[in-house]
Amino acid sequence: MAVRVTTRKGSTGSCSEVFEMDIGKDIAYHIRRVWEKETAIFETRKTSHFHMPNPIYALILAGGSGERFWPLSRRARPKQLLRLVSDKTLLEETVTRLEGLIPSERILILTNTEQESEVRKLLRSFPKENIIAEPAKRDTAAAVALGTGWVVARDHAATMFVLPADHVISNRVAFQETLALAADAAEETGELVTIGLKPTWACPGYGYIEQGKAVRLRKRPDNDAVHRVLRFREKPNRDLAESFLRKGNFRWNAGMFVWSVPTVLREFNRHAPELADFISQLRAPRNFEKALRERFSKLPRISFDYAIMEKADRVLVVEASFDWDDIGSWRAVSNYFEKDDRGNAANCAITALDSSNNIVFEEDGTTIALLGVHDLIVVQTKDALLVCHRHEAEKIKNLIGKLPPELQ
């Protein structure tokens, strides 16, 4: 069946002629959208108190180099594949946080060839076809383009989340509430949305978002958590970070994004045409694997913030209502360990005498005893031992290149 239409210019024809649509696919698409919305309402009532008007997809970025947590982490086992603060890996925690909000068949996990085996072993019950290994390291802009192409091939009007796999977030309800608000903002305004976190200290290691006036949504007129982004600020020095805190309108950039697919396609076309062309290749019927194999490694190596977010003129920030920690070092992880009365933090039982402010992580049941030492990091694994001063934790990654290949 073809539908006759008349355009504003007076030309007539079928939808396929005027709008370059595939009638069979697009009529089926609209029928499917109606069915999905009705089904989503029913499923939401069963599993969640959120009602998402459009189908939601999530892209989880699960790559990484495995440097900061050596010797526990390796190139094939970076931070998100470690059990640092619970009996689950950070990647498992990330997937679990989406339960009740997004079904697993709408979640794409991007990893790399070095880590693919570990990810698949870890997530045995996850849809195998929804785990994709990037054939080359090309930073986050290419990764987001790949994820966008995957979503577009399934639903070109969906809403999409982009989430890192290596954050610690304990309040799942508040996390989902924030994402639901961000989805409403993205769908109502047609703008890119990022998640901002209220700073708790003047951290020079995070990117910052300067927020402007509040944006009121029709669906949520009483909510004041949505603001216009004035600008993004890269990692500042400590003095500048302290000035951000004093001003009160700066938020940490959590690297979490929400948008409608038409919106992000528009921004790719405007600011990154090479990546936009890659997306168009991915969405072509039966061309996904070929485009990934032949085109991905040739894409520019650039972050998504630089390629798109900092160039877009219509960006909103939603303030997170959940707790958050990116645990970027052993010092940060030690906040989740038990401490004795001398400040020694450990994930295991230790014996300490005349020792203070040490961090101990033990993987394999070895007894750790400390005598007359202070401010050390001691990490014991099956095949390696790290001992360093706690104030040198940021330099652990400098060790990697000096180690035997089998320990990297």
Side-chain angles (χ1 to χ4, degrees):
M1 177 183 292
V3 179
R4 302 295 296 183
V5 298
T6 301
T7 67
R8 290 182 179 179
K9 294 183 179 180
S11 61
T12 61
S14 69
C15 286
S16 58
E17 293 168 339
V18 176
F19 299 117
E20 298 181 352
M21 296 168 66
D22 182 317
I23 292 299
K25 289 182 180 178
D26 283 85
I27 287 178
Y29 163 76
H30 287 293
I31 294 173
R32 175 169 55 83
R33 285 295 301 280
V34 171
W35 179 84
E36 282 186 339
K37 287 183 180 181
E38 294 301 320
T39 303
I41 293 172
F42 175 70
E43 291 296 330
T44 298
R45 287 171 181 164
K46 291 195 302 180
T47 62
S48 172
H49 56 284
F50 305 118
H51 166 41
M52 298 287 98
N54 287 331
I56 305 289
Y57 288 76
L59 167 63
I60 297 177
L61 302 177
S65 57
E67 295 177 338
R68 292 182 183 272
F69 290 95
W70 190 89
L72 188 64
S73 64
R74 306 292 167 92
R75 288 176 179 169
R77 193 174 65 163
K79 181 171 69 169
Q80 64 269 14
L81 300 182
L82 305 179
R83 295 174 176 86
L84 291 170
V85 300
S86 75
D87 59 356
K88 289 184 178 180
T89 66
L90 297 180
L91 175 56
E92 289 175 294
E93 296 280 11
T94 303
V95 173
T96 300
R97 275 196 296 275
L98 294 172
E99 288 181 0
L101 186 64
I102 307 175
S104 60
E105 60 268 21
R106 290 188 189 161
I107 299 174
L108 173 66
I109 296 175
L110 282 189
T111 184
N112 56 50
T113 53
E114 286 183 313
Q115 297 151 19
E116 181 182 9
S117 176
E118 286 292 324
V119 171
R120 292 189 181 279
K121 187 186 303 181
L122 188 67
L123 302 176
R124 294 183 186 277
S125 61
F126 196 81
K128 292 187 172 111
E129 65 277 12
N130 288 22
I131 299 173
I132 295 178
E134 299 173 356
K137 293 183 179 180
R138 281 296 177 270
D139 216 323
T140 52
V144 173
L146 172 55
T148 301
W150 186 85
V151 174
V152 170
R154 287 154 178 78
D155 191 329
H156 52 70
T159 298
M160 180 177 169
F161 299 157
V162 177
L163 305 169
D166 58 357
H167 294 169
V168 175
I169 299 169
S170 60
N171 193 332
R172 177 171 142 187
V173 172
F175 173 75
Q176 293 194 4
E177 287 174 346
T178 299
L179 288 187
L181 173 60
D184 284 344
E187 292 170 2
E188 183 173 314
T189 66
E191 301 190 25
L192 300 173
V193 180
T194 186
I195 306 299
L197 299 127
K198 192 170 184 177
T200 56
W201 65 290
C203 178
Y206 295 152
Y208 285 74
I209 302 166
E210 184 177 3
Q211 67 179 28
K213 66 179 182 179
V215 175
R216 301 290 178 177
L217 303 179
R218 291 189 301 273
K219 290 180 66 175
R220 299 172 183 250
D222 298 327
N223 191 287
D224 60 357
V226 183
H227 290 258
R228 193 155 300 286
V229 171
L230 297 181
R231 57 179 171 169
F232 291 88
R233 298 292 297 265
E234 280 307 301
K235 300 175 182 178
N237 58 42
R238 188 173 293 277
D239 289 341
L240 187 56
E242 288 176 352
S243 75
F244 290 168
L245 258 67
R246 288 193 297 270
K247 289 181 180 178
N249 66 324
F250 282 82
R251 299 294 178 262
W252 285 336
N253 186 352
M256 303 180 192
F257 307 107
V258 183
W259 48 61
S260 69
V261 166
T263 295
V264 75
L265 288 178
R266 177 192 71 209
E267 298 302 330
F268 270 116
N269 279 305
R270 285 180 177 176
H271 305 298
E274 187 176 354
L275 293 171
D277 181 64
F278 173 62
I279 294 171
S280 69
Q281 294 295 317
L282 292 172
R283 67 190 294 186
R286 296 177 296 279
N287 200 48
F288 187 92
E289 294 296 334
K290 180 181 178 184
L292 176 61
R293 183 176 62 254
E294 297 180 358
R295 297 285 304 278
F296 189 86
S297 60
K298 300 175 184 176
L299 295 176
R301 192 189 295 258
I302 185 173
S303 74
F304 183 75
D305 280 341
Y306 283 129
I308 302 294
M309 296 300 291
E310 295 184 11
K311 296 177 181 178
D313 55 6
R314 297 173 60 193
V315 183
L316 301 177
V317 56
V318 172
E319 184 172 323
S321 62
F322 52 85
D323 59 293
W324 174 88
D325 193 348
D326 78 337
I327 54 169
S329 69
W330 282 115
R331 291 180 65 183
V333 172
S334 70
N335 293 325
Y336 297 87
F337 297 164
E338 289 191 14
K339 291 186 179 180
D340 64 18
D341 56 2
R342 298 292 303 276
N344 297 302
N347 76 323
C348 59
I350 62 172
T351 300
L353 180 62
D354 296 329
S355 300
S356 63
N357 299 320
N358 298 291
I359 299 169
V360 177
F361 186 98
E362 198 287 314
E363 185 184 34
D364 200 33
T366 301
T367 298
I368 303 293
L370 305 174
L371 175 60
V373 295
H374 310 274
D375 300 313
L376 295 183
I377 296 174
V378 180
V379 182
Q380 170 81 44
T381 66
K382 295 177 182 179
D383 59 356
L385 170 66
L386 169 71
V387 180
C388 76
H389 197 281
R390 63 182 294 149
H391 299 306
E392 299 293 313
E394 294 298 323
K395 298 180 181 179
I396 290 176
K397 59 184 178 181
N398 299 338
L399 280 174
I400 306 302
K402 300 180 181 298
L403 294 167
E406 65 272 15
L407 292 179
Q408 297 180 12

